[in-house]
Amino acid sequence: MYRYYVKSQKITMELPFSESYKIKMVEPIRKSTKEERRRWIKEAGYNMFNLKSEHVFIDLLTDSGTGAMSDRQWAAMMMGDESYAGATSFYNLKRTVKKLLGFEYMLPTHQGRAAENVLFSALISEGDVIPGNTHFDTTKGHIEFRKATAIDCTIDEAFDTTVQHPFKGNIDLNKLESVYLKYPKAHIPAIIVTVTCNSAGGQPVSMENLREVYELSKKYGIRVIFDSARFAENAYFIKTREEGYAHKSIKEIVAKMFTYADGMTMSSKKDAIVNMGGFIALREEALYKKAAQFNIIFEGYITYGGMSGRDMNALAQGLDEGTEFDYLETRIKQVAYLGQKLKEYGVPVQEPFGGHAIFVDAKRFLPHLPEGQFVAQTLAVELYLEAGVRSVEIGTLLADRDPITRENRYPKLELLRLAIPRRVYTNNHMDVIAAALKNVYDRREEIKSGYKIIDEAPILRHFTVQLAPSHEETIGLLGP
Ligand code: F0G
């Protein structure tokens, strides 16, 4: 008996974690030399968006539209119905949205910001205020474009990358209630809850907080809209971190989450794992009818709204796959794998790790750089020079200028985002990224200055901004 026990202990090895898919098609990527990268980034005005993708080895600019579709999604595309009106693909998508998310009304749009444009055209007027948990930049852009104001009510813990809190995307109910008390109901057309909260580091919102926000909003008669780009990753965190959900399926958790929303906007390019697409889903018929008019003007007829039939089919399939636990576990564990490596190397990152990305705390990485020199952007340039890894600044550049004073807005967090595309890279790629960032970290004191703006657009400037090293000495950095 004893010998058998020992024997069985010896032979039983816990199986390591592995991906929940195998690879059917590959796309070659190429390395470059440091000399080439110095030239290319200079030509790009030190703006990651201006780089050609062929000049990038590992592309972590975004997890948006960069995922790999499954064989089933590609198969669904072949069944696309390209009829202008009443396509079966539209009804397929509508049925899926109803089944998974519970909304009666759905309008397709070509991507997330298009959903914002259409819905906000129907909802938001000049002078309105829209509270939320750190609105995403396009969301804020669409609010400010309408001369309305986005008010950030995220919990304070989100703004300290060293604080451990399982739901850093949560809304502070006191902050929210003070908005509801300060402004007349007629000027608060909605609260927008972003799940997961991208700008705070891909941080989730708990089910408890979603419920409390909904109940408080109903008390004041305010509509709750979810910015749902990463709703499935949010559900994964509820399942793995919040008491009472461990035995629920992701689909059950998702269904419950959306009972606390009156409507949603969706960038399908994230958790629905398609390269392009979006939609609006609503419960209220009157709001749907109003939004439908704007959809026709801006996007297309209500049964396609900027999407082809095949894309709506792939999206419906992607929504189903994206809400499966095995897929989400593979995805989120890969992000955590990178986070853990960076942590081991001493690189300061937002913790707990986010769902779609690792966020490096640039102020803690380069504490000696002045805030006006775009610290996270400086780090992005260094990481690109080091290994051809493209990341993105979530900091002062992205925060834009105050629409009234035109002064730079300095956000509480200055972050470098390493966004991981879905089902695209392997953990070997994660190792390369971590090693590259470690090398930059080890030589951080040699990075003596950052960048200054040469040219910028009045809104959403980070996409097209042109930068130059802020001091002549910076050019030395680009030397051998
Ligand atoms: N909401 C959130 C939370 C987002 O992260 C994005 C896009 C949008 C709305 C807009 O959707 O791109 O389809 O128009 N985020 C991308 C990113 C661009 O890189 O995080 P879109």
Side-chain angles (χ1 to χ4, degrees), residues 141-158:
H142 272 296
I143 291 170
E144 291 177 352
F145 182 71
R146 290 170 174 80
K147 298 197 165 48
T149 310
I151 301 179
D152 192 350
C153 298
T154 316
I155 56 168
D156 291 335
E157 287 89 332

Side-chain angles (χ1 to χ4, degrees), residues 61-64 111-114 116 136-139 194 196 198 227 229-230 266-270 277 356 417 463:
L61 184 72
T62 180
D63 63 319
S64 180
Q111 63 182 87
R113 70 200 69 185
E116 290 163 358
F136 183 66
D137 59 336
T138 60
T139 320
T194 306
T196 58
N198 186 1
D227 175 348
R230 300 179 183 85
M266 177 72 187
S267 168
S268 309
K269 302 166 74 172
K270 283 86 169 172
H356 68 296
R417 187 182 74 173
F463 288 122

Side-chain angles (χ1 to χ4, degrees), residues 148-265:
T149 310
I151 301 179
D152 192 350
C153 298
T154 316
I155 56 168
D156 291 335
E157 287 89 332
F159 303 105
D160 183 340
T161 57
T162 62
V163 172
Q164 287 287 344
H165 186 296
F167 293 101
K168 278 187 169 176
N170 278 0
I171 300 242
D172 183 322
L173 297 171
N174 290 326
K175 290 186 193 172
L176 181 62
E177 189 155 28
S178 66
V179 175
Y180 289 166
L181 289 169
K182 185 168 172 195
Y183 299 93
K185 184 179 143 186
H187 282 295
I188 316 175
I191 171 178
I192 296 177
V193 187
T194 306
V195 287
T196 58
C197 184
N198 186 1
S199 313
Q203 297 294 319
V205 182
S206 71
M207 188 73 88
E208 185 187 21
N209 192 248
L210 291 177
R211 180 178 54 75
E212 288 168 342
V213 166
Y214 185 76
E215 284 169 2
L216 186 68
S217 304
K218 290 301 115 177
K219 187 174 140 197
Y220 287 90
I222 310 292
R223 191 183 278 112
V224 180
I225 302 288
F226 285 1
D227 175 348
S228 319
R230 300 179 183 85
F231 72 94
E233 291 172 3
N234 200 93
Y236 174 90
F237 286 121
I238 290 176
K239 182 176 168 78
T240 53
R241 292 184 187 167
E242 192 166 349
E243 215 187 307
Y245 294 95
H247 301 295
K248 298 252 185 269
S249 71
I250 295 291
K251 285 186 167 63
E252 283 168 337
I253 295 170
V254 163
K256 190 168 162 101
M257 278 168 60
F258 282 98
T259 61
Y260 301 127
D262 299 302
M264 62 177 284
T265 54

Side-chain angles (χ1 to χ4, degrees), residues 107 109 115 117-123 280 282 284-300 302:
L107 287 167
T109 62
N117 186 31
V118 168
L119 184 63
F120 295 0
S121 296
L123 263 188
I280 299 165
L282 296 165
E284 298 160 70
E285 189 182 11
L287 183 58
Y288 161 75
K289 282 188 170 162
K290 208 170 161 193
Q293 289 307 308
F294 289 105
N295 216 52
I296 293 169
I297 296 169
F298 293 139
E299 292 293 293
I302 53 171

Side-chain angles (χ1 to χ4, degrees), residues 276-470:
M276 191 52 73
F279 60 88
I280 299 165
L282 296 165
R283 284 186 220 293
E284 298 160 70
E285 189 182 11
L287 183 58
Y288 161 75
K289 282 188 170 162
K290 208 170 161 193
Q293 289 307 308
F294 289 105
N295 216 52
I296 293 169
I297 296 169
F298 293 139
E299 292 293 293
Y301 183 60
I302 53 171
T303 63
Y304 75 87
M307 293 189 73
S308 52
R310 54 181 172 270
D311 284 344
M312 287 191 280
N313 263 6
L315 166 53
Q317 174 64 26
L319 281 170
D320 188 47
E321 286 175 21
T323 48
E324 282 298 313
F325 178 76
D326 285 354
Y327 151 73
L328 282 165
E329 187 183 38
T330 299
R331 154 122 187 103
I332 290 174
K333 284 202 167 167
Q334 181 173 54
V335 174
Y337 174 85
L338 174 62
Q340 195 53 39
K341 275 250 136 124
L342 289 172
K343 216 179 133 176
E344 280 160 27
Y345 293 150
V347 175
V349 294
Q350 168 75 295
E351 287 187 71
F353 308 134
H356 68 296
I358 294 299
F359 289 70
V360 181
D361 188 333
K363 277 194 212 161
R364 277 164 62 210
F365 196 115
L366 296 170
H368 52 284
L369 281 200
E371 147 176 276
Q373 292 186 10
F374 306 106
V375 184
Q377 183 66 16
T378 305
L379 194 50
V381 173
E382 290 300 325
L383 179 60
Y384 175 71
L385 288 174
E386 184 67 30
V389 175
R390 173 157 69 170
S391 54
V392 77
E393 188 251 25
I394 307 271
T396 312
L397 269 184
L398 183 76
D400 256 323
R401 290 179 191 274
D402 184 287
I404 294 158
T405 67
R406 302 305 300 156
E407 289 298 320
N408 269 327
R409 286 190 282 213
Y410 292 105
K412 288 182 195 145
L413 286 178
E414 181 74 21
L415 300 168
L416 180 75
R417 187 182 74 173
L418 310 169
I420 312 299
R422 292 166 181 79
R423 307 191 285 213
V424 170
Y425 293 115
T426 68
N427 283 4
N428 287 335
H429 294 112
M430 300 302 121
D431 290 342
V432 171
I433 299 156
L437 207 51
K438 178 190 187 299
N439 289 344
V440 178
Y441 191 59
D442 290 348
R443 63 174 171 79
R444 62 192 180 279
E445 270 150 35
E446 293 162 31
I447 303 168
K448 300 252 188 284
S449 58
Y451 291 85
K452 59 186 170 193
I453 292 179
I454 302 296
D455 186 39
E456 71 182 286
I459 194 164
L460 297 178
R461 65 179 178 185
H462 61 288
F463 288 122
T464 53
V465 72
Q466 292 281 321
L467 299 163
S470 49

Side-chain angles (χ1 to χ4, degrees), residues 32-77:
S32 51
T33 65
K34 265 193 183 157
E35 282 63 39
E36 285 174 323
R37 293 196 291 275
R38 277 191 197 108
R39 185 158 46 82
W40 292 333
I41 194 70
K42 190 173 178 201
E43 283 165 8
Y46 301 96
N47 179 345
M48 298 296 144
F49 291 94
N50 287 341
L51 277 175
K52 288 185 178 157
S53 65
E54 62 192 352
H55 295 162
V56 172
F57 180 49
I58 302 175
D59 204 346
L60 309 183
L61 184 72
T62 180
D63 63 319
S64 180
T66 52
M69 291 213 297
S70 68
D71 52 356
R72 284 161 183 78
Q73 284 179 287
W74 283 106
M77 287 190 81

